[in-house]
Amino acid sequence: MFGELSKVALREIWPREASDFTPWLAENIEELGKALGMELELIEQEASVGDFSLDILAKDLGSSKSVIVENQLTQTDHDHLGKLLTYAAGFDASIVIWISESIREEHRQAMDWLNQRTDNETLFFGVVVEVIRIDNSRPAFNFKLAASPNEWQKNKKRQTQRSSVSTKGEKYQNYFQSLIDTLRDAHRFTSAKAGQPQNWYSFPSGFSGLTYGANFAQGGKARAEFYIDLGDKDKNKYVFDQLHNQKEKIESELGEAISWERLDNKRASRLALYTDGVIDDSDAELERIKGWHIDKLLKLKSLLGMKIGQLAKSATSM
């Protein structure tokens, strides 16, 4: 009735760590983010730190915090632990992820100790990667969280640090927590789990440098946007201009006008939609804005998702 579940040796799938596993992980960085409740975006592979090279440098889109990922296809060892701490210092990382075939108990304890001793802005994760199959099925990968911040300890620290977060910051955090919870649970739009005390939140499009965003902008406006920042001004303007050439078709499909903001004096560009609203509005009004944000983000992703892939590839090859 049931098939037999078996583990596959990692090196059967990825013979070499640097040339096989790290590139695969970079391509599947969003899947790692889902396992951790984050929206991870790749920044660089083999990023230099003095004479060493970090496997993966990434960013958590929801908080813009820097993320380092060190991986190995064997059990954890002291050498990689030392490298992990060196890379964390070198990149001033807020989120530190150690991926391995298995985690030794003393290394799990070390990561637990680091999470207990560091502040609320520094998070250490130990992740086990495994490959499994049922009978003779195709292999499937799985990320298992083996070490993570103790939420009770972190929450306790939040209580003592609350005075350092402004009342408005708490309102933003509460608003975006509610927004991402609904987008995640009801619409599977995001895997993010933690709101931040800031006036914006970004979500991946599936293409590095292209994101969807919910914001509270200046002038008493709330904004939903498609944000273009491939790291190069000319590439950004190219993607924007190619989309702008389809303005009438895009707006017709969306059912409303878009604010086309090329931002010639800045590197990035964006397509934006606006509604009245500020974070100090009443609970009822914030609920309306939340519904508006959800509706516009879903429509923007549905409309642009099929259009931006080729544009991103064309811009990257410029």
Side-chain angles (χ1 to χ4, degrees):
M1 182 177 180
F2 295 102
E4 182 178 351
L5 187 68
S6 61
K7 283 191 176 182
V8 180
L10 298 187
R11 291 197 184 276
E12 182 178 327
I13 307 298
W14 303 288
R16 295 169 295 278
E17 182 179 301
S19 58
D20 296 317
F21 183 71
T22 298
W24 174 87
L25 183 61
E27 292 179 0
N28 291 274
I29 195 73
E30 290 186 19
E31 294 301 319
L32 174 61
K34 289 177 183 178
L36 301 179
M38 302 177 194
E39 298 282 14
L40 297 182
E41 181 177 82
L42 177 68
I43 300 299
E44 186 179 357
Q45 290 186 59
E46 301 299 333
S48 297
V49 184
D51 294 333
F52 301 97
S53 293
L54 167 68
D55 289 329
I56 291 177
L57 177 64
K59 178 175 70 173
D60 174 28
L61 289 176
S63 63
S64 281
K65 292 178 179 178
S66 60
V67 179
I68 65 166
V69 182
E70 180 68 4
N71 54 253
Q72 57 185 122
L73 292 176
T74 57
Q75 188 179 58
T76 55
D77 54 43
H78 289 352
D79 177 62
H80 279 81
L81 176 58
K83 289 179 180 178
L84 194 75
L85 296 177
T86 300
Y87 300 152
F91 287 101
D92 192 24
S94 295
I95 300 170
V96 180
I97 304 172
W98 191 3
I99 299 178
S100 63
E101 181 181 44
S102 63
I103 296 180
R104 293 177 59 166
E105 178 60 20
E106 55 266 41
H107 295 145
R108 186 193 62 76
Q109 291 178 356
M111 298 193 80
D112 287 345
W113 182 83
L114 287 166
N115 276 316
Q116 292 167 10
R117 296 289 180 170
T118 54
D119 62 26
N120 190 46
E121 300 302 314
T122 309
L123 310 175
F124 290 83
F125 294 89
V127 179
V128 170
V129 60
E130 62 179 8
V131 177
I132 56 177
R133 62 161 46 107
I134 300 175
D135 293 334
N136 295 318
S137 68
R138 295 173 59 192
F141 70 89
N142 183 44
F143 292 118
K144 294 174 61 177
L145 193 59
S148 62
N150 184 311
E151 282 306 308
W152 185 86
Q153 291 284 350
K154 295 295 183 180
N155 286 333
K156 185 177 180 181
K157 290 181 181 180
R158 289 189 187 102
Q159 297 297 321
T160 62
Q161 295 170 356
R162 182 158 292 188
S163 60
S164 65
V165 178
S166 68
T167 300
K168 183 165 286 189
E170 289 184 19
K171 289 181 178 179
Y172 282 129
Q173 188 164 21
N174 291 336
Y175 176 84
F176 284 109
Q177 185 66 61
S178 178
L179 177 68
I180 64 176
D181 285 347
T182 302
L183 283 169
R184 183 187 64 248
D185 297 339
H187 302 286
R188 302 183 69 181
F189 183 88
T190 180
S191 58
K193 293 183 178 178
Q196 303 293 330
Q198 58 199 24
N199 69 334
W200 56 271
Y201 209 97
S202 295
F203 305 95
S205 68
F207 301 95
S208 181
L210 304 176
T211 56
Y212 301 101
N215 315 70
F216 284 92
Q218 295 180 348
K221 297 288 185 180
R223 181 172 68 226
E225 66 183 15
F226 173 65
Y227 198 73
I228 305 166
D229 189 2
L230 299 169
D232 179 89
K233 184 175 182 178
D234 290 338
K235 294 178 181 179
N236 295 336
K237 304 315 175 189
Y238 167 81
V239 172
F240 177 90
D241 291 342
Q242 293 300 309
L243 289 172
H244 191 261
N245 289 340
Q246 306 174 56
K247 178 178 182 294
E248 290 186 7
K249 184 174 185 293
I250 290 174
E251 292 184 345
S252 175
E253 292 177 358
L254 185 64
E256 61 183 293
I258 293 174
S259 177
W260 296 83
E261 302 175 6
R262 198 172 191 270
L263 306 178
D264 290 331
N265 294 326
K266 296 184 178 180
R267 185 177 72 184
S269 297
R270 64 172 168 246
L271 282 63
L273 300 169
Y274 292 91
T275 188
D276 291 335
V278 295
I279 196 61
D280 291 322
D281 280 338
S282 66
D283 290 345
E285 181 64 8
L286 287 176
E287 194 64 24
R288 178 196 69 80
I289 298 169
K290 173 187 165 184
W292 180 88
H293 264 141
I294 291 171
D295 178 63
K296 302 310 177 187
L297 287 171
L298 293 175
K299 286 182 176 178
L300 284 172
K301 186 171 185 177
S302 176
L303 175 62
L304 299 176
M306 299 298 292
K307 301 179 186 298
I308 61 178
Q310 188 57 49
L311 285 177
K313 292 178 182 178
S314 297
T316 302
S317 64
M318 289 177 60

